[in-house]
Amino acid sequence: MNLTKNANGNGGAGGLRSARDRFSLDPLRDWWASAPGAVRWAVYLLLVVGALVLPSEAIGSFMAPSGSDWPSMLSSQIAIYVLLAIGLNVVVGMAGLLDLGYVAFYAVGGYTMAIFATRYGWNFWESLGLAIGFSALAGVILGAPTLRLRGDYLAIVTLGFGEIVKRTANNASYVNGPRGVQGIPHPPSLSEFEILGVQPLKYGLLDARPYYYLLVLFIIVAIIFVKRLERSRVGRAWASIREDEDAAELMGVPTFKFKLAAFAIGAAIGGSGGVVFAGQITSINPQNFEFLVSALILAGVVLGGSGNLPGVMLGAAVLAWLPERFRFLHDYRMLIFGAALVMMMIFRPEGLWPSRQRKAELAEGTGGMGSMGAEVAGPGQPGAAAVEEGK
């Protein structure tokens, strides 16, 4: 079987490549790279306004046609997933470390909020600061003895850490074991002022929109923080570790220190998501922190374009939204959901919105995942040649 002919555009792989090229985002990137500062700020402002009007009924009638509560879906699934994906992208996309136990930090944040709010009377904001600190500490505790491992070994260790946190919560009488913690207070309402019929700072059970707006605030802060890091010496060190850790170490980059920082920062962002989640649903238990959450967040990062912040946010949002969009199909919705993911990865194997650097790394055959062990053969490399020759 000779795939070389197909690669030249005569159907098969060539046709697939042409289809991918038609959906290329390179023209948009070129426009954005040359856009003046005023245009960029106008786009940022429009995106924020778009995020604020997203819970409206007109949009919800299309996004959730099965009658699901669209604001609840936004706050408890889509926005939470986006925030978690931003945190996991620091570890996976920027530093190239495969973490399968990310849900553990989400759980640490949620349980910190639950324990200190119900037992010691701490309010939401006090618990938030403590939860972020505990989650970052959990990242250091996990990373310190394990970050000398790479690839599959690191993935297994992080997977085990996620299960340890869940099993500990399930068997600890201090947090009521499998029954979990109830009576977690909502965030304190800051005022009663109203905008277009919405009280965005009044938190309760009936209206999910204030939690969504709170998560939008967290997402904006996380984006600013991560983008600042990405453009700093820290971000350059993470990129060098992701591309070739051995070479980075030989060039004098203290790889262990920067990998530990990536784990702590990613964990802190995940912990903040757990605090909002606990404050909204007022009751958490170990079943809220299954491995499936880690898998879905990781899938969102890869699907969107690992390493590219807008891409991972888009991937996480799509991944959280699609099952609900197909809910009217009942038992077949997960089948359609899986088929949609497969089609996305066929037409966009580097992700829905990959970074230029990530695309270049894939073209070179490194895969851009460094220690993730996800290297793929690129054009001109032995592996690629074997495929083309049908060997």
Side-chain angles (χ1 to χ4, degrees), residues 182-388:
Q182 294 82 35
I184 304 169
H186 298 295
S189 297
L190 301 179
S191 72
E192 299 289 338
F193 84 91
E194 183 175 311
I195 302 176
L196 300 176
V198 180
Q199 294 179 312
L201 300 177
K202 184 178 181 180
Y203 301 97
L205 279 175
L206 299 179
D207 191 355
R209 288 174 291 186
Y211 298 98
Y212 166 72
Y213 294 132
L214 182 62
L215 283 165
V216 169
L217 174 64
F218 280 26
I219 289 169
I220 292 173
V221 172
I223 289 172
I224 295 172
F225 179 60
V226 172
K227 289 301 287 184
R228 296 283 295 177
L229 283 176
E230 188 179 13
R231 294 167 182 166
S232 70
R233 175 172 172 262
V234 177
R236 293 192 293 275
W238 285 338
S240 66
I241 293 169
R242 183 187 67 220
E243 292 179 17
D244 192 329
E245 185 175 344
D246 292 330
E249 194 150 6
L250 287 172
M251 293 298 291
V253 176
T255 55
F256 180 77
K257 183 177 77 174
F258 282 110
K259 288 196 296 183
L260 200 58
F263 254 62
I265 293 169
I269 296 174
S272 67
V275 172
V276 180
F277 174 72
Q280 180 177 4
I281 67 172
T282 71
S283 173
I284 61 172
N285 61 66
Q287 303 306 314
N288 297 131
F289 307 104
E290 297 281 358
F291 165 72
L292 183 61
V293 176
S294 291
L296 288 175
I297 300 300
L298 180 61
V301 170
V302 175
L303 176 71
S306 178
N308 189 36
L309 206 49
V312 301
M313 294 170 62
L314 175 64
V318 168
L319 207 66
W321 169 67
L322 275 183
E324 297 301 327
R325 186 64 179 80
F326 295 138
R327 183 170 287 280
F328 65 93
L329 296 174
H330 305 293
D331 293 341
Y332 296 101
R333 72 184 180 112
M334 295 311 292
L335 177 65
I336 301 299
F337 172 61
L341 293 184
V342 170
M343 293 301 294
M344 286 182 186
M345 295 314 295
I346 288 175
F347 287 99
R348 306 290 298 182
E350 68 277 10
L352 293 174
W353 194 342
S355 66
R356 285 182 185 273
Q357 185 175 3
R358 171 88 173 106
K359 287 183 70 175
E361 289 168 351
L362 281 168
E364 290 173 356
T366 62
M369 290 296 177
S371 58
M372 286 180 65
E375 289 81 1
V376 294
Q381 291 196 338
V387 172
E388 289 184 353

Side-chain angles (χ1 to χ4, degrees), residues 111-156:
Y111 268 98
T112 301
M113 167 70 185
I115 292 169
F116 281 85
T118 58
R119 292 180 180 271
Y120 304 109
W122 289 36
N123 67 33
F124 175 84
W125 299 106
E126 293 169 338
S127 302
L128 173 66
L130 192 66
I132 290 175
F134 277 178
S135 301
L137 179 62
V140 173
I141 291 173
L142 170 63
T146 62
L147 282 177
R148 299 194 188 282
L149 301 174
R150 300 183 186 180
D152 301 341
Y153 302 102
L154 180 61
I156 292 170

